[in-house]
């Protein structure tokens, strides 16, 4: 998104900052049931032990999820990752795992779980991780302005070949991942090669091919995909776009989803590569 319009003061993560793991823990729904009647509570908030200096004012990390999500069964208080004890860096001894939501809601090193009427007033819920309209000034946005980010948007990425790579022209294996938001499944991934710089293909065949989808171990996990594409000599874009089970497709252009804090870019994924003639 920073290529569309500058996004000062934010980390430019790119396409790689996501992963899938097998989590073991107790369902938050079960813990809340044991805790007793929750009265008027509409949100479940999590407090952590690490003090974040970048918050204003500096404060422990925290966040919340709506009660419907907290009690849906899939949210965990987890102590193991990929069948091994949770590493400290991933939140040991206990972290929250909120499948289908942005990573920020999966609070690590959790120390308090609170059922409450309002969303968490943590900086990370009330000020950060919010989708502001394009004309907003993030430095002056009020607490609670914009949309609170929760459920993930449908997204996909081309992972190999890597962006910027040179490779021999010819048929090449292309791989990536796709992930759908909040429990919807990935239904299809389309891939194609676009000449640069015009980005438009002539003729009736617009060049889309369907990738082969890997297993879907859970509606909360990403799906890996693969395809064989003919890479011509010269600079091209390898483009991927995913469809979910609701028939939604990713938006084409990053400009469509640009927002002042640079969140949630789910435009079609592109790897700029150069095919080398032999
Ligand atoms: N206590 C605490 N929890 C946290 C954070 C943090 O800084 N402190 N970062 C959040 C963010 S923004 C993300 S993307 C995930 C990253 O989880 P991981 O380190 O297991 O990949 O943790 C979330 N939970
Ligand atoms: Mo994050």
């Amino acid at each position: 998104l920073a290529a569309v319009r500058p996004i000062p003061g934010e980390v430019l993560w790119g396409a790689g900052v996501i992963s899938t793991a097998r989590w073991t823990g107790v369902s938050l729904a079960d813990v809340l049931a044991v805790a007793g009647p929750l009265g008027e509570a509409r949100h479940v908030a999590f407090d952590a032990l690490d003090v974040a200096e970048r918050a204003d004012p500096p404060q422990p990390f925290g966040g919340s999820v709506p009660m419907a999500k907290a009690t849906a069964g899939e949210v965990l208080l987890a102590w193991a990752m990929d069948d091994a004890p949770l590493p400290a860096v991933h939140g040991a001894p206990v972290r929250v795992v909120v499948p289908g939501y942005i990573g920020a809601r999966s609070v690590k090193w959790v120390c308090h779980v609170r059922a409450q009427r309002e969303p968490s007033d943590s900086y990370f819920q009330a000020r950060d991780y919010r989708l502001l309209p394009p004309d907003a000034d993030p430095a002056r946005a009020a607490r609670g302005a914009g949309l609170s980010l929760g459920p993930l948007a449908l997204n996909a990425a081309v992972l190999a070949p890597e962006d910027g790579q040179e490779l021999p022209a010819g048929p090449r294996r292309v791989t990536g991942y796709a992930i759908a938001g909040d429990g919807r499944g990935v239904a299809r991934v389309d891939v194609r090669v676009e000449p640069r710089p015009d980005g438009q293909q002539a003729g009736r065949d617009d060049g889309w091919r369907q990738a082969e989808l890997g297993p879907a171990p859970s509606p909360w996990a990403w799906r890996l995909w693969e395809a064989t594409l003919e890479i011509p000599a010269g600079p091209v874009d390898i483009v991927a776009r995913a469809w979910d089970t609701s028939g939604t497709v990713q938006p084409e252009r990053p400009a469509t989803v640009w927002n002042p804090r640079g969140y949630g870019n789910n435009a079609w994924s592109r790897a700029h590569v150069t095919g080398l003639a032999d």
Side-chain angles (χ1 to χ4, degrees):
L1 291 186
V4 175
R5 224 168 101 189
I7 299 171
E10 297 284 343
V11 180
L12 304 177
W13 287 109
V17 61
I18 186 167
S19 131
T20 282
R22 182 202 310 276
W23 300 98
T24 308
V26 62
S27 171
L28 179 62
D30 292 345
V31 173
L32 293 173
V34 172
L38 302 177
E40 304 278 277
R42 294 227 183 80
H43 299 265
V44 175
F46 313 111
D47 303 330
L49 290 166
D50 55 317
V51 175
E53 294 300 330
R54 81 174 182 91
D56 178 21
Q59 60 192 268
F61 194 86
S64 61
V65 296
M67 187 59 77
K69 181 70 176 176
T71 54
E74 66 268 13
V75 179
L76 298 182
L77 299 175
W79 54 76
M81 180 181 173
D82 289 334
D83 304 315
L86 187 61
V89 68
H90 289 297
V94 177
R95 78 174 297 171
V96 184
V97 175
V98 185
Y101 269 43
I102 63 158
R105 305 306 175 219
S106 289
V107 174
K108 303 189 274 190
W109 313 295
V110 64
C111 60
H112 288 105
V113 176
R114 232 183 282 281
Q116 57 189 50
R117 203 179 163 93
E118 302 298 330
S120 167
D121 62 4
S122 160
Y123 171 85
F124 298 95
Q125 187 85 38
R127 307 217 62 144
D128 214 0
Y129 300 106
R130 303 190 74 88
L131 200 60
L132 299 172
D135 57 348
D137 175 354
R140 305 171 76 165
R143 284 180 81 80
L147 298 172
S148 171
L149 292 172
L152 273 182
L154 172 64
N155 216 339
V158 177
L159 296 179
E162 270 180 58
D163 194 42
Q165 203 176 315
E166 297 186 332
L167 68 170
R172 295 289 155 234
R173 217 55 192 149
V174 175
T175 65
Y177 72 80
I179 188 158
D182 209 14
R184 284 180 292 278
V186 172
R188 199 177 91 206
V189 174
D190 301 334
V191 287
R192 72 175 177 188
V193 175
E194 285 182 7
R196 279 210 324 271
D198 47 304
Q200 289 300 320
Q201 298 224 332
R204 292 216 326 239
D205 179 359
D206 61 4
W208 291 113
R209 300 284 174 268
Q210 289 182 44
E212 302 140 39
L213 294 182
S218 138
W220 310 111
W222 65 15
R223 265 184 109 163
L224 302 177
W225 54 262
E226 297 194 17
T228 301
L229 293 176
E230 187 67 30
I231 307 294
V236 293
D237 276 1
I238 298 172
V239 190
R241 64 176 189 196
W243 300 73
D244 71 17
T245 48
S246 74
T248 296
V249 65
Q250 294 175 243
E252 177 175 354
R253 294 179 328 116
T256 315
V257 292
W258 190 93
N259 62 93
R261 282 254 171 83
Y263 293 129
N265 178 10
N266 74 329
W268 298 357
S269 174
R270 284 170 190 278
H272 309 298
V273 303
T274 303
L276 303 175
D278 49 18

